[in-house]
Amino acid sequence: IASEGYVTVKDCSVIADGTGVIEVREKTMAGGITGWRGEGKNNIENCTVKNLDISAWTSVGAISGLVHYENTINNCVAENVKLTMTRTDGQAGIGLAAGCWSNKADNNYPITVTNNTFNNISLNGNPPKYNKDGVDISNFLQDEVRLIGSNYNGPINIPEDKLNVSGNTYTNISDNLTFVE
């Protein structure tokens, strides 16, 4: 729908007949709706992604590759999606909603992923275990699944009052990731 930008994306669908392929070969990110969302209140709402095989070199997510601070992913559906991250060095991330979530250094902006449905999603690849600041990102899980990947800008200690990931449902999620030291 949009490779990158600073706009809200609403009421859109990417539904393949059979299996659709989104493949980004090097030095960028990919998602079913957007590659990345810019800073500040550029939301993704009421969107659907179905029957896709999405692969990217760095950040890959069913809805968006990378999402910046103050954005939301709300009321979206991702179903029958295979996510593959091909980069094995440096900063990278993979997640159901977004591969990475970029916040400012103080992590003082909200991360909002609410009321979304994820069904039959597989996460594949060999991402690095540590982000660019040496922080272990392999265990950054939310609601028992890898929802928003890693924090692109550094430590992942986002204050609980800034992290709203409520109302999401998950069915048949497979995490086939091997983290590289």
Side-chain angles (χ1 to χ4, degrees), residues 3-102:
S3 63
E4 60 184 68
Y6 297 85
V7 296
T8 291
V9 179
K10 292 174 74 171
D11 305 316
C12 294
S13 296
V14 176
I15 302 173
D17 184 17
T19 300
V21 176
I22 297 172
E23 180 180 9
V24 179
R25 295 194 178 164
E26 71 177 77
K27 300 190 181 185
T28 195
M29 48 207 74
I33 299 295
T34 65
W36 69 269
R37 308 301 313 133
E39 298 91 347
K41 300 180 182 172
N42 303 300
N43 306 322
I44 302 172
E45 301 172 356
N46 307 318
C47 293
T48 301
V49 174
K50 287 187 181 180
N51 309 325
L52 290 178
D53 185 343
I54 305 170
S55 65
W57 182 70
T58 182
S59 303
V60 60
I63 306 299
S64 185
L66 180 137
V67 180
H68 278 268
Y69 57 89
E70 288 194 291
N71 288 289
T72 65
I73 296 176
N74 182 50
N75 201 36
C76 294
V77 174
E79 185 173 342
N80 301 325
V81 178
K82 178 182 179 185
L83 301 171
T84 304
M85 194 203 68
T86 59
R87 185 175 183 178
T88 59
D89 65 323
Q91 175 62 38
I94 184 169
L96 296 177
C100 285
W101 202 287
S102 180

Side-chain angles (χ1 to χ4, degrees), residues 81-171:
V81 178
K82 178 182 179 185
L83 301 171
T84 304
M85 194 203 68
T86 59
R87 185 175 183 178
T88 59
D89 65 323
Q91 175 62 38
I94 184 169
L96 296 177
C100 285
W101 202 287
S102 180
N103 212 329
K104 289 205 170 186
D106 61 7
N107 291 321
N108 204 29
Y109 287 86
I111 291 176
T112 306
V113 183
T114 53
N115 304 314
N116 301 288
T117 300
F118 302 95
N119 180 33
N120 196 29
I121 312 290
S122 67
L123 296 94
N124 305 279
N126 301 301
K129 182 172 178 141
Y130 302 99
N131 72 3
K132 66 181 181 169
D133 295 323
V135 175
D136 185 339
I137 62 174
S138 64
N139 293 316
F140 187 37
L141 304 176
Q142 183 63 48
D143 289 344
E144 299 178 7
V145 295
R146 190 171 300 284
L147 181 64
I148 59 172
S150 65
N151 186 342
Y152 189 81
N153 286 353
I156 55 177
N157 56 344
I158 299 163
E160 282 189 39
D161 66 329
K162 301 297 180 188
L163 186 62
N164 181 6
V165 291
S166 61
N168 299 296
T169 60
Y170 315 97
T171 309

